[in-house]
Amino acid sequence: MMFIKGKTMLLFTPGPTPVPEFARVAMAGLTLHHRTPEFEAIFAETRELLFKLFNTDEVIMLASSGTGAMEAAVTNLCSDTLLNINSGKFGERFGKIALASGLKNVEIKNSWDTPASVEEVLEALKANPSIDALAIQISESAGGLRHDVEAIAKAVKEINPEIMVIADGITAVGVERIDVTNIDCLIAGSQKALMLPPGLAILGLSNAAVAKIGKGKGYYLNLASEIKQQSKNTTAYTAATTLIIGLREVLKHIEENDGIGKLYCDTARRAKACRFALEAIGLHSYPKTPARSMTTIDDVNASEIRNILKEDFGVNVAGGQDDLKGKIFRINQMGLIEPYEIIWVVNAVELALQKLGRRDFDGTASRVFSETYFKTMIEKSREK
Ligand SMILES: *Cc1c(COP(=O)(O)O)cnc(C)c1O
């Protein structure tokens, strides 16, 4: 919750997401020097918690936004040609990073509602033997879609285990359990599912990735220098101390409140209930394979709905970018969200449709939300 012009506003954009009060309070302490035993202890604890979240062989924190980690992954893990999956703005970005770094790229481009298939990835690999890394989003935030990264990564490794698989999990790590068996680099960013202010990026690395990094590439984003320092609980350059303190708090909070499994389960239930509620009032879910991180609706009145949500009901949801500007709206599902907040959001969307003269308000959205979200509880009490 935040205040705009004295009015409360629910922040429901899929990044940045609201920072919980306990994290804000933790970050309000005195500034710690990063080269001290006090901070190194915090760093070590955060690193341990990250290993549990990522399930990877190595974990590196960078003082940068998510894109910095995308660039570090590409420059350190690709030395010839990058295959990037472009089903949206963030997938496109991987290709731009490759070119800006003097690498070649091959791109699989689909419309923003369409995930990449295993077949088209394998075809691209066959046609371009110089590809030595694949970069893909787990959840492509541009259109709210989920790529089947696990299946694609498995197929890639079966063809050539040397190909590095880079998975952008900026809107997936902390949202759902990710099978990292065939993933060499898994990326997260502080301001999305991790519920923190922007400025911290995290990379989970496989042993194969660490081996391929070798001496590393570049200077600030040289992953070899960071691996060397962070294994000793310090960083090559000044650490994002305040954000790391916040991250430790968020991860500890999750652990102490029934664990990450509970968070994944609540997120899945909420995303499903929200989509069902909006479909029940005649709205259309945009992506062919919806991600759990956000609910994405394409609609001719997308802009009007967003405005009404903001002006009349104090709800801030995101729109679309580029070709999807004015055509979609995206409701965040990442982080700690109370059911009463999201029920208000779906109810407000139904009221917005009433205001636009599209349907008579009868409370369908909030009813369907509750019936879906609280399904097990409702069924159990009916059996009695
Ligand atoms: C937000 C986002 C990014 C970019 O992160 P920045 O922190 O803005 O640099 C990359 N990938 C995905 C999927 C995102 O949602």
Side-chain angles (χ1 to χ4, degrees):
M1 191 105 60
M2 61 174 180
F3 295 91
I4 293 179
K5 292 187 210 147
K7 219 169 98 174
T8 58
M9 185 71 73
L10 283 173
L11 181 63
F12 259 93
T13 56
T17 60
V19 180
E21 188 177 10
F22 63 81
R24 281 182 277 129
V25 168
M27 291 186 289
L30 293 172
T31 299
L32 284 181
H33 192 286
H34 55 292
R35 310 277 181 215
T36 54
E38 292 81 8
F39 182 69
E40 282 169 20
I42 293 170
F43 191 93
E45 196 184 341
T46 313
R47 202 169 133 81
E48 278 313 305
L49 290 161
L50 283 174
F51 272 113
K52 282 196 214 163
L53 178 68
F54 278 67
N55 283 313
T56 48
D57 301 315
E58 184 54 85
V59 171
I60 294 300
M61 290 175 252
L62 287 180
S64 81
S65 86
T67 307
M70 292 167 74
E71 179 161 337
V74 170
T75 54
N76 285 267
L77 292 172
C78 178
S79 34
D80 192 321
T81 307
L82 180 77
L83 172 61
N84 66 294
I85 307 299
N86 175 357
S87 292
K89 214 171 173 57
F90 297 106
E92 178 186 49
R93 186 169 298 175
F94 269 130
K96 289 183 174 172
I97 290 172
L99 294 178
S101 312
L103 298 161
K104 288 175 281 182
N105 87 306
V106 171
E107 182 171 275
I108 295 176
K109 194 170 176 178
N110 282 313
S111 77
W112 289 15
D113 63 349
T114 306
S117 70
V118 171
E119 293 70 36
E120 57 191 349
V121 170
L122 295 185
E123 243 168 62
L125 292 182
K126 258 184 226 140
N128 304 277
S130 66
I131 290 170
D132 62 338
L134 161 79
I136 183 169
Q137 274 57 40
I138 296 177
S139 150
E140 168 56 82
S141 316
L145 76 79
R146 174 69 155 90
H147 284 294
D148 192 354
V149 172
E150 292 85 347
I152 290 171
K154 184 165 180 276
V156 168
K157 290 291 182 182
E158 276 165 10
I159 294 230
N160 181 359
E162 305 274 295
I163 295 175
M164 290 285 116
V165 175
I166 301 167
D168 169 357
I170 293 176
T171 51
V173 175
V175 170
E176 57 176 310
R177 200 173 300 284
I178 296 154
D179 177 3
V180 292
T181 313
N182 297 298
I183 292 175
D184 294 294
C185 176
L186 177 63
I187 300 168
S190 54
Q191 80 277 24
K192 309 267 173 98
L194 298 175
M195 302 170 251
L196 290 164
L200 187 71
I202 305 147
L203 300 103
L205 300 166
S206 68
N207 283 332
V210 174
K212 171 124 186 197
I213 288 164
K215 291 196 171 78
K217 292 264 174 59
Y219 190 79
Y220 185 67
L221 298 178
N222 186 311
L223 290 178
S225 349
E226 291 299 343
I227 292 168
K228 188 167 166 225
Q229 296 304 321
Q230 298 196 20
S231 58
K232 294 183 278 185
N233 295 317
T234 187
T235 47
Y237 314 104
T238 306
T241 47
T242 307
L243 290 169
I244 292 171
I245 289 168
L247 178 59
R248 177 183 68 159
E249 214 55 33
V250 165
L251 298 176
K252 260 175 35 184
H253 178 94
I254 294 170
E255 211 163 71
E256 287 160 8
N257 288 274
D258 305 318
I260 193 77
K262 169 79 162 56
L263 178 60
Y264 292 154
C265 176
D266 287 350
T267 306
R269 280 166 70 205
R270 192 174 56 247
K272 183 178 168 190
C274 181
R275 181 161 56 84
F276 281 16
L278 298 181
E279 285 172 349
I281 54 171
L283 293 176
H284 179 254
S285 167
Y286 173 71
K288 289 177 186 152
T289 49
R292 290 176 186 171
S293 52
M294 65 197 76
T295 306
T296 306
I297 299 293
D298 56 318
D299 196 275
V300 283
N301 297 122
S303 292
E304 290 93 333
I305 294 171
R306 276 184 70 211
N307 281 336
I308 297 171
L309 289 180
K310 199 165 178 183
E311 297 302 324
D312 295 5
F313 304 110
V315 175
N316 188 359
V317 302
Q321 297 158 299
D322 296 359
D323 288 351
L324 289 182
K325 205 170 161 75
K327 295 186 178 151
I328 59 166
F329 64 92
R330 295 173 295 152
I331 301 172
N332 175 50
Q333 303 294 353
M334 293 176 279
L336 297 167
I337 299 172
E338 294 297 340
Y340 57 78
E341 292 179 330
I342 185 81
I343 288 179
W344 174 246
V345 176
V346 298
N347 187 60
V349 173
E350 187 176 347
L351 286 165
L353 294 185
Q354 158 88 29
K355 187 167 181 179
L356 290 167
R358 298 233 326 234
R359 63 174 273 125
D360 278 335
F361 179 84
D362 62 1
T364 296
S366 54
R367 176 177 55 77
V368 171
F369 182 92
S370 293
E371 281 171 356
T372 315
Y373 190 83
F374 296 106
K375 187 169 187 282
T376 329
M377 192 196 87
I378 294 171
E379 278 171 0
K380 265 195 198 134
S381 59
R382 276 189 187 143
E383 279 163 19
K384 276 182 198 155

